[in-house]
Amino acid sequence: LGMLRHMSATCEEPPREKKPEEELSKPVVHPEAGPASLKHLVAAYGDLIKLRLSGLVVLTTMAGYAVAPGQLEVSALLWTSLGTALCVASANSFNQFAEVPFDSQMKRTSTRPIVKGVLSPLHALGVGLGTGLAGVTMLYGLVNPITAALGAFNIVLYAGVYTPMKRTHIAKTWVGAIVGALPPMMGWAAATGELGAGAWVLGLLLYAWQFPHFNSLSWNLRGDYARAGYRMMAVTNPRLCREVALRYSVLMTPICLAAPVLGMTTWHFALDSTVLNAYLAYSGYKFYRDPNEKTAKRLFLFSVMHLPLLLILMMIHKKRSKKAH
């Protein structure tokens, strides 16, 4: 029986091994291929534009609109959110197009759609161009020129400056923080037509938040980053990585205090935000003094909760004019 099974197995034609060029040039799966293929394609696009990260960015834009003075206009908020989402999708598509050789070397990025051959690099480039053009045009025509200019600038900054800097200098972290700071400013500009003092407070808040968030994330992934040749603080200067995370964790408190001083919120926000920021600073201090996987993860996880809670408190304590009431 064993010999028969062996003879049967050896008679079967072995599966043809795909050549690398065939895999990379594989066309995008068409919807006609069936429901499973359509689901697979939608998931690939979601991975290409980093759907969850894009959702968080759009939420900060909506928060910037909601905190800004004036009445809420639902249509303007929707166009702002959609235009921002398209700009974010564009920047992320360009980013993945540029980083294919390096993504394949990292465990956390090795399943991205271009690396796996689900989408071709040229297709991803087309998505970046299409969504970028659509997003900026939408913001310009249906919101205002300032918001459109910020959206276009952020695409260029992320894809054209931040992405190539990742392999050359740790200063890219500060550039990336600017990228994260602009979306709430876009929301403010969409609501008011200008970049007032409140817009800069929101921008500073998001700018400072990036460092405890990203530095703690990169700490537990530094082996992956080093393997792909990325210049991360956690890899090239671990002490600076921890110092910067702590420094900006502490700076969150005075930045938040500027909100009631400038009349953006009531003083209740100062009290509530100080509690959140105090724990962020404490987590940053623990990470600084005892850097390990546990303290880094604790700081990262709290930063994920910290930002939405802070923005919700800012909206709750927004200072409304008597006319609005």
Side-chain angles (χ1 to χ4, degrees), residues 30-76:
H30 294 289
E32 292 80 10
S37 298
L38 178 60
K39 183 179 179 180
H40 190 65
L41 181 62
V42 170
Y45 279 116
D47 290 339
L48 177 69
I49 67 173
K50 302 178 185 177
L51 190 60
R52 286 184 293 181
L53 176 62
S54 299
L56 178 61
V57 173
V58 172
L59 286 175
T60 64
T61 305
M62 296 174 72
Y65 190 103
V67 171
Q71 294 295 318
L72 174 68
E73 293 184 17
V74 176
S75 60

Side-chain angles (χ1 to χ4, degrees), residues 205 252-260 265 267-280 306 309-310 313-314 317:
L205 191 152
M252 290 294 292
T253 297
I255 292 172
C256 287
L257 289 176
T265 65
W267 281 97
H268 290 98
F269 175 71
L271 296 173
D272 293 344
S273 64
T274 298
V275 176
L276 283 175
N277 292 331
Y279 191 78
L280 182 71
H306 173 269
L309 287 174
L310 204 62
L313 286 174
M314 189 172 276
H317 297 306

Side-chain angles (χ1 to χ4, degrees), residues 48-322:
L48 177 69
I49 67 173
K50 302 178 185 177
L51 190 60
R52 286 184 293 181
L53 176 62
S54 299
L56 178 61
V57 173
V58 172
L59 286 175
T60 64
T61 305
M62 296 174 72
Y65 190 103
V67 171
Q71 294 295 318
L72 174 68
E73 293 184 17
V74 176
S75 60
L77 176 60
L78 290 176
W79 289 123
T80 302
S81 301
L82 183 55
T84 302
L86 288 169
C87 289
V88 176
S90 173
N92 287 331
S93 298
F94 287 137
N95 171 264
Q96 291 201 37
F97 168 78
E99 294 188 336
V100 175
F102 317 116
D103 283 345
S104 61
Q105 300 175 47
M106 294 178 61
K107 183 178 180 181
R108 66 185 290 263
T109 56
S110 60
T111 58
R112 285 180 172 174
I114 308 179
V115 177
K116 293 169 64 179
V118 178
L119 298 175
S120 70
L122 186 62
H123 186 85
L125 182 63
V127 172
L129 291 170
T131 53
L133 182 61
V136 173
T137 302
M138 182 180 295
L139 292 173
Y140 184 85
L142 299 173
V143 185
N144 59 52
I146 295 178
T147 309
L150 289 173
F153 176 71
N154 227 13
I155 294 173
V156 174
L157 188 63
Y158 186 77
V161 181
Y162 170 78
T163 296
M165 277 187 72
K166 289 171 71 174
R167 295 178 56 80
T168 59
H169 203 282
I170 61 171
K172 63 92 193 172
T173 307
W174 281 265
V175 175
I178 297 174
V179 173
L182 289 178
M185 298 179 71
M186 292 171 64
W188 183 285
T192 64
E194 61 181 12
L195 291 173
W200 294 100
V201 170
L202 287 168
L204 278 172
L205 191 152
L206 266 292
Y207 178 83
W209 175 84
Q210 310 274 335
F211 293 95
H213 174 74
F214 181 74
N215 285 19
S216 59
L217 170 66
S218 63
W219 185 266
N220 289 336
L221 298 171
R222 58 192 187 279
D224 236 10
Y225 285 125
R227 191 160 42 250
Y230 287 118
R231 304 285 292 177
M232 300 288 179
M233 274 188 280
V235 175
T236 62
N237 195 334
R239 182 177 178 84
L240 180 63
C241 175
R242 306 191 318 267
E243 287 177 352
V244 169
L246 175 59
R247 183 186 309 155
Y248 284 97
S249 296
V250 173
L251 280 175
M252 290 294 292
T253 297
I255 292 172
C256 287
L257 289 176
V261 170
L262 294 172
M264 295 171 61
T265 65
T266 66
W267 281 97
H268 290 98
F269 175 71
L271 296 173
D272 293 344
S273 64
T274 298
V275 176
L276 283 175
N277 292 331
Y279 191 78
L280 182 71
Y282 171 75
S283 299
Y285 175 74
K286 294 288 286 184
F287 173 55
Y288 171 74
R289 287 301 299 250
D290 185 20
N292 56 57
E293 183 178 345
K294 184 178 179 181
T295 56
K297 188 175 182 180
R298 181 183 298 158
L299 176 58
F300 171 73
L301 290 177
F302 183 72
S303 71
V304 172
M305 296 185 293
H306 173 269
L307 181 62
L309 287 174
L310 204 62
L311 294 175
I312 289 170
L313 286 174
M314 189 172 276
M315 288 185 280
I316 291 172
H317 297 306
K318 174 182 175 180
K319 196 168 185 177
R320 293 169 175 81
S321 64
K322 294 180 180 179

